Amino acid sequence: MKVEVLSTGSELLRGKNVDTHLGFFARELYRAGLEVRHHQTIDDHPGRLVDAIKLAAARSDVVLLTGGLGPTEDDHTRAAAEEAFHRPLVYQPALWARIRERFRKSRTPMASINRRQAFVPKGAAVLPNPNGTAPGFCLKQDGVFFAALPGPPREMHPMFLDHVLPRLRVRRDFELWERKIQGVPEGTVDELVRRAVGSRAEYGLTVRWGQVTITVRAAGPGRGSRLAAVARRLERALGADNLYEGDLHEHVAGRLISSGTTVALAESCTGGLIAHRLTEVPGISASLLESAVTYSNESKIRLLGVPEALIRAKGAVSAEVARAMARGIAARSGAHVGVAVTGIAGPGGATKDKPVGRCYLAVGGWVEEKTFRGDRSAVKERAAGFALNMLRLRLLRGEGYAGATMGVRALR
Ligand code: ATP
Ligand code: MG
């Protein structure tokens, strides 16, 4: 089944908004066993919208269109579908009642033009939108499945997952295994994965900020047991503890909360990025006690109790200072674990023996020295990810773990 995505909206073509819908569809559809073959981005122009729908319907089996379902003059999706599929728009009293009810409940005044949203092409099924006023719709014509979804991601995502994807359900003849690993060069991961997977399955790697995502896909008969065998081989080759599922910060936050471990952060070069990541997760207040952005030497001394003489002797960017920062924030906050990062984010600040990107990361008494590549924000992102992964390993293996058996090192 060939899928085509149509992203609509002039803002997308003016660089004001970034199209995140395509990536979302592509990921979800790939998992479901469908692949996106084409993508068009169209501005809010009625004629071009009709042309785009016609082209998509002529060459694809599934057409997913987003945006333009609002009630205003620049929302053309309903009219374009009417013209492209030769189906007059029909008024749906039930839909109108639901829209009015929504406005009444949220006590927002409603303009009469909102009634436009109660029209859908003849024979189309309405896709409910519990997160907004604009309902979506879908129809089938000449073997083509067409769905129109609202633009805002928080409305579009649930509508797609709850009401569109189930209608597309194909019999999947493959299974996926996906894990992430942090801090190991992509080339090394690739070599180990290639050897472990062999001809048993296909695999792909994606890299972001030092985190490599490994996706293995096994198809055909016996795929379940083949994939399980590949997973075991991968765990052996890369170290089972080094592999995790989902987002690193969510994973770490979940572990902190479920184990009742409290943590405090002292961030220099990451400027609060680790705290930002952890505070994205609801419920983290049970574990994250505090976070200090101690950028100057003076604040490292005053807020964390790092000895001035230590900074003078070793430099603010050093293993010794990172350890003293982690110990200082843990002692002052009463947290079980202190985490600290100090480093040179660049572009300036390098010294004879400390290049740009050099960071010292401490979790309790465990310190790692790393030199991260990239510009300022890359160094910050990589350092935050690396520190979170150290915290993950420490939570997994318990107190006293100081990275001696960290697979990352064994792989180097
Ligand atoms: P509304 O009723 O809010 O007008 P709509 O269905 O008419 O919804 P649009 O007006 O096209 O949708 O888009 C509304 C907002 O949704 C945009 O301003 C943008 O923030 C977001 N949006 C739309 N398309 C995309 C996209 N492809 N990727 C990411 N965000 C998008
Ligand atoms: Mg709109």
Side-chain angles (χ1 to χ4, degrees):
M1 272 222 284
K2 287 172 273 187
V3 182
E4 179 149 356
V5 174
L6 308 185
S7 303
T8 77
S10 298
E11 325 85 63
L12 296 169
L13 289 167
R14 291 183 189 143
K16 285 191 185 152
N17 285 340
V18 176
D19 186 349
T20 56
H21 292 351
L22 176 64
F24 167 78
F25 284 133
R27 276 188 300 276
E28 294 300 333
L29 290 165
Y30 177 74
R31 282 201 190 107
L34 289 156
E35 266 179 82
V36 177
R37 287 282 176 83
H38 298 283
H39 174 231
Q40 299 185 58
T41 307
I42 311 106
D43 63 347
D44 296 314
H45 180 279
R48 286 190 282 274
L49 207 50
V50 173
D51 290 347
I53 296 174
K54 284 186 178 163
L55 172 63
R59 66 184 176 185
S60 303
D61 307 305
V62 174
V63 180
L64 305 171
L65 182 149
T66 61
L69 286 174
T72 59
E73 288 303 324
D74 63 349
D75 291 309
H76 304 296
T77 297
R78 277 175 295 270
E82 169 179 38
E83 193 178 332
F85 294 108
H86 309 290
R87 293 190 190 214
L89 293 176
V90 220
Y91 173 60
Q92 307 263 337
L95 214 48
W96 180 226
R98 214 178 303 155
I99 293 167
R100 269 188 328 221
E101 175 67 5
R102 207 185 145 77
F103 274 98
R104 201 182 54 75
K105 272 198 187 141
S106 65
R107 291 167 204 260
T108 349
M110 186 185 61
S112 59
I113 51 166
N114 275 98
R115 194 160 176 273
R116 290 183 186 168
Q117 293 180 303
F119 285 80
V120 296
K122 191 172 179 205
V126 173
L127 303 168
N129 183 359
N131 305 300
T133 51
F137 60 85
C138 65
L139 56 88
K140 226 174 167 172
Q141 185 159 312
D142 304 325
V144 177
F145 174 88
F146 174 86
L149 301 138
R154 52 177 286 278
E155 299 177 29
M156 192 281 269
H157 292 187
M159 188 183 287
F160 176 73
L161 295 174
D162 297 343
H163 300 290
V164 178
L165 203 51
R167 292 175 204 250
L168 298 177
R169 206 48 95 193
V170 281
R171 244 195 44 228
R172 220 172 68 156
D173 66 342
F174 66 89
E175 273 174 54
L176 295 176
W177 179 94
E178 190 177 285
R179 294 290 185 282
K180 292 170 183 166
I181 189 164
Q182 175 84 35
V184 188
E186 185 190 5
T188 310
V189 176
D190 187 53
E191 197 180 309
L192 291 166
V193 173
R194 185 163 6 103
R195 251 187 275 150
V197 173
S199 59
R200 297 167 191 88
E202 287 171 22
Y203 75 91
L205 305 181
T206 52
V207 192
R208 190 166 161 76
W209 306 131
Q211 174 178 269
V212 184
T213 303
I214 308 160
T215 309
V216 185
R217 185 182 192 272
R223 56 189 177 268
S225 52
R226 236 174 327 116
L227 194 63
V230 168
R232 279 194 301 276
R233 291 172 65 87
L234 283 167
E235 283 173 358
R236 231 177 0 249
L238 294 156
D241 285 357
N242 291 321
L243 299 166
Y244 52 89
E245 278 186 270
D247 284 324
L248 183 55
H249 62 281
E250 282 178 9
H251 190 91
V252 170
R255 263 188 183 277
L256 282 168
I257 296 165
S258 66
S259 64
T261 309
T262 55
V263 68
L265 318 169
E267 300 188 58
S268 188
C269 84
T270 45
L273 194 52
I274 303 171
H276 169 64
R277 285 284 134 73
L278 288 177
T279 53
E280 295 274 275
V281 184
I284 193 64
S285 57
S287 287
L288 177 62
L289 301 188
E290 64 188 51
S291 163
V293 179
T294 50
Y295 223 58
S296 66
N297 290 350
E298 198 271 324
S299 85
K300 290 180 182 73
I301 297 163
R302 181 168 44 85
L303 291 173
L304 309 173
V306 177
E308 193 177 349
L310 187 69
I311 296 181
R312 219 176 305 121
K314 304 289 180 185
V317 178
S318 64
E320 291 79 2
V321 167
R323 186 179 289 120
M325 286 168 69
R327 292 215 164 121
I329 195 75
R332 282 162 190 235
S333 64
H336 296 126
V337 189
V339 176
V341 183
T342 177
I344 306 162
T351 62
K352 197 160 51 59
D353 43 287
K354 284 169 191 162
V356 165
R358 170 63 55 83
C359 290
Y360 295 89
L361 310 100
V363 172
W366 168 28
V367 185
E368 286 281 330
E369 176 193 290
K370 289 289 293 178
T371 307
F372 298 111
R373 281 179 295 109
D375 62 10
R376 221 175 143 75
S377 58
V379 170
K380 288 174 67 181
E381 294 280 356
R382 286 169 194 272
F386 198 89
L388 279 170
N389 192 46
M390 285 173 71
L391 182 55
R392 184 186 68 82
L393 286 164
R394 151 72 201 258
L395 291 168
L396 201 61
R397 293 180 184 173
E399 198 174 344
Y401 176 67
T405 56
M406 192 173 173
V408 176
R409 176 172 298 161
L411 292 167
R412 267 208 292 259

